Amino acid sequence: GFVTIFAQTFDDGSYDNCCLDFFEARRMNAGCGEVTNFGSSVVLCCEDIGDDVQIEMKAVDCAGNANTCMVTVHVDDKTNPVIICPPSKTLSCTQDYTDTLLTGIPVVSDGCGIANLTHINQVNLNTCHEGTVVRTWTVTDNYNNSSSCTQLITVVDNTPVTVTFPPNYDLLNGCTNANSLHPDSLPAPYNYPAVFGDDCELVGLNYD
């Protein structure tokens, strides 16, 4: 948030008929913790952004003679903030990819302050909630400079589906009643078929 400008930066062709020795400069108004005394440099900072700061430059010759002139410095913030995305992340399909406690947030910095940090998701998940999410983070500073980075989130299903089918049925009372042989008349097994691990899949059951 601070910049040091050396006095010779403000020079635009000063000269002396014998020997030009050195330059000094000072702010005409105190600011950024700076006093208004002459020195080899002046300091500008975030509080100067958008303002015209008056600088007095002094040229001194080898005999100690000096002359001064005024320079107007208009201060802008043209530096984009820095953003470092969290690393790529792999989640289970049962986890919430929108939860930044799981996926992480970027590290951001700016010399003159961060205004906001936002993100958008490009979701590429199938009906079983597997696939990828491309998350683009954007940070904007207090002077509308911005930077972006991209994070890849992969969503997987590591739980295989298993099915326990009903046991075979044996008719114990023989063939005395032909109607009892019809499959629809057989008692339905309790809690069958039993499906395990269908945390993300779309499971359909039928029988023939």
Side-chain angles (χ1 to χ4, degrees), residues 166-172 180-190 192:
N168 294 329
Y169 183 80
D170 293 324
L171 188 65
L172 300 179
S180 66
L181 298 178
H182 195 283
D184 287 344
S185 68
L186 300 179
Y190 181 68
Y192 286 103

Side-chain angles (χ1 to χ4, degrees), residues 36-178:
T36 56
N37 298 332
F38 277 108
S40 61
S41 63
V42 296
V43 172
L44 303 175
C45 63
C46 296
E47 67 185 56
D48 295 319
I49 293 176
D51 294 335
D52 292 328
V53 179
Q54 298 298 320
I55 304 293
E56 184 178 13
M57 188 196 76
K58 180 167 64 174
V60 183
D61 70 9
C62 297
N65 303 302
N67 205 349
T68 62
C69 65
M70 299 297 299
V71 181
T72 300
V73 178
H74 182 75
V75 185
D76 281 329
D77 179 6
K78 298 181 181 295
T79 304
N80 291 331
V82 175
I83 182 170
I84 302 174
C85 261
S88 298
K89 190 78 174 179
T90 299
L91 300 179
S92 165
C93 60
T94 59
Q95 294 177 294
D96 182 7
Y97 67 83
T98 66
D99 186 355
T100 56
L101 294 178
L102 295 174
T103 58
I105 60 174
V107 176
V108 297
S109 62
D110 185 82
C112 291
I114 300 297
N116 58 65
L117 176 65
T118 60
H119 69 269
I120 58 174
N121 293 326
Q122 180 182 344
V123 181
N124 302 293
L125 300 180
N126 60 24
T127 55
C128 294
H129 308 289
E130 292 181 288
T132 60
V133 177
V134 178
R135 177 167 295 162
T136 301
W137 290 92
T138 300
V139 59
T140 305
D141 69 12
N142 290 326
Y143 300 95
N144 211 34
N145 303 300
S146 64
S147 298
S148 298
C149 65
T150 301
Q151 178 191 19
L152 177 64
I153 301 169
T154 304
V155 183
V156 297
D157 179 10
N158 292 322
T159 308
V161 174
T162 60
V163 180
T164 301
F165 290 98
N168 294 329
Y169 183 80
D170 293 324
L171 188 65
L172 300 179
N173 60 351
C175 301
T176 56
N177 185 349

